[in-house]
Amino acid sequence: MTPIKPYPQTPRRRVPAGIGRPHYVGRPAPDRYTGPDVQSADVIERMRVAGRIAAQAMYAAADAIAPGVTTDQLDAVAHEFICDHGGYPSALGYRGFPKSICTSVNEVICHGIPDTRPLENGDLVKIDVTAFVDGVHGDNCGTFYCGEVDQASKDLTDRTREALNRAVKAVRPGRRVNVIGRVIEAYAKRFNYGVVRDYTGHGVHTTFHSGLIVPHYDEPSLTTVIESGMTFTIEPMLTLGDYRSHVWDDGWTVVTNDGSRCAQFEHSLVVTDDGAELLTVP
């Protein structure tokens, strides 16, 4: 497959004036979050709504994937869906990000900017959608096929989804967050996959990224204790080759150094008394 290259971008999409914006829109960076990791029942209930809209928007965009369709067109689908449901696309204007979702194709690990490149048969397409609704964010990502993909890409996709599922099942109050990365890395090593280290899960709720770090690899130093009521993402990124990466000159697009493909799945969740509840379900 031809390496992914940047293509021209279309102008920034508009959001209806009556839709509430996150505080960071129009600013170079968000305020630093200093609140608790454990959220109230009200915040969690609002996150269920935001999460459902984000998940539905992601699948709506995925349904539009086909050879010849551009990632900019996928961005338009998700943007319109979120706005039609009274939400704001959280990525739009976050630290200057120019589009409403991230579309990361093949060797692009994450933070790909939707552009006018036509998708090709065999492409592996990650769609990362976050919706801001009623003061809270719901954040999710999935990996989808454009046409017929090779078996190695299918296996990578299935196993990355399974890595996320196993990590979610490991969440329990009283455990440390590093159990999540330990479970993911142990599973990925069975297939000699790379586990991306530079981009992690994070706290999410009234703020897009709270500062809470959720590792996808075994990192003993990350010892935050998981508590009931915490809300965060788990979003493993597994590669067919080496996990090391670099960022394009656009300041966003993260690509594997060796050109190997990457798959990613992500859910926002809330910790319950005996496990976790997924918040980004359609």
Side-chain angles (χ1 to χ4, degrees):
M1 299 291 289
T2 304
I4 300 297
K5 301 291 184 184
Y7 272 62
Q9 298 171 20
T10 62
R12 175 172 169 156
R13 303 189 195 283
R14 302 185 67 175
V15 176
I19 290 175
R21 272 87 167 139
H23 77 275
Y24 52 74
V25 175
R27 299 171 54 184
D31 294 334
R32 180 172 173 269
Y33 180 73
T34 58
D37 294 323
V38 173
Q39 301 303 305
S40 68
D42 172 63
V43 168
I44 294 166
E45 181 55 38
R46 283 185 279 143
M47 286 185 69
R48 290 188 181 99
V49 176
R52 182 172 64 250
I53 290 170
Q56 291 173 344
M58 179 184 72
Y59 285 111
D63 285 345
I65 292 174
V69 172
T70 68
T71 52
D72 183 74
Q73 289 172 283
L74 305 184
D75 183 77
V77 170
H79 178 96
E80 290 169 14
F81 187 98
I82 293 170
C83 291
D84 286 349
H85 288 78
Y88 184 94
S90 301
L92 187 62
Y94 179 77
R95 296 184 181 272
F97 192 80
K99 290 294 181 179
S100 297
I101 65 174
C102 298
T103 51
S104 304
V105 179
N106 297 341
E107 70 269 22
V108 179
I109 293 174
C110 60
H111 303 162
I113 301 173
D115 61 23
T116 53
R117 174 190 178 272
L119 292 171
E120 299 176 3
N121 184 62
D123 280 344
L124 201 60
V125 186
K126 282 86 73 184
I127 300 178
D128 191 333
V129 180
T130 309
F132 180 75
V133 183
D134 197 15
V136 299
H137 300 268
D139 186 2
N140 69 166
C141 179
T143 300
F144 304 93
Y145 306 151
C146 181
E148 289 297 319
V149 304
D150 61 84
Q151 190 60 48
S153 296
K154 291 180 180 178
D155 290 343
L156 177 69
T157 300
D158 290 343
R159 291 164 178 166
T160 305
R161 185 190 293 108
E162 177 62 16
L164 173 58
N165 292 340
R166 290 178 179 227
V168 170
K169 290 176 182 176
V171 173
R172 291 285 189 284
R175 292 180 175 176
R176 301 181 187 277
V177 292
N178 55 31
V179 70
I180 294 168
R182 194 175 310 125
V183 166
I184 291 169
E185 186 167 44
Y187 180 70
K189 278 185 173 179
R190 291 167 50 181
F191 311 103
N192 294 315
Y193 292 154
V195 182
V196 173
R197 294 174 169 234
D198 291 337
Y199 304 90
T200 67
H202 54 87
V204 64
H205 32 77
T206 57
T207 192
F208 196 173
H209 299 87
S210 73
L212 174 67
I213 297 173
V214 180
H216 303 130
Y217 60 99
D218 189 1
E219 179 46 80
S221 69
L222 294 176
T223 57
T224 301
V225 176
I226 298 170
E227 300 178 64
S228 183
M230 275 184 172
T231 55
F232 54 80
T233 72
I234 303 175
E235 45 186 298
M237 293 156 255
L238 305 186
T239 64
L240 285 174
D242 192 84
Y243 71 86
R244 293 175 180 85
S245 64
H246 60 278
V247 181
W248 281 359
D249 291 342
D250 61 21
W252 286 103
T253 307
V254 182
V255 182
T256 56
N257 287 347
D258 62 5
S260 63
R261 287 189 165 194
C262 177
Q264 180 188 15
F265 285 89
E266 173 187 18
H267 274 300
S268 298
L269 60 80
V270 58
V271 181
T272 63
D273 290 342
D274 58 358
E277 174 196 345
L278 300 181
L279 299 173
T280 39
V281 289

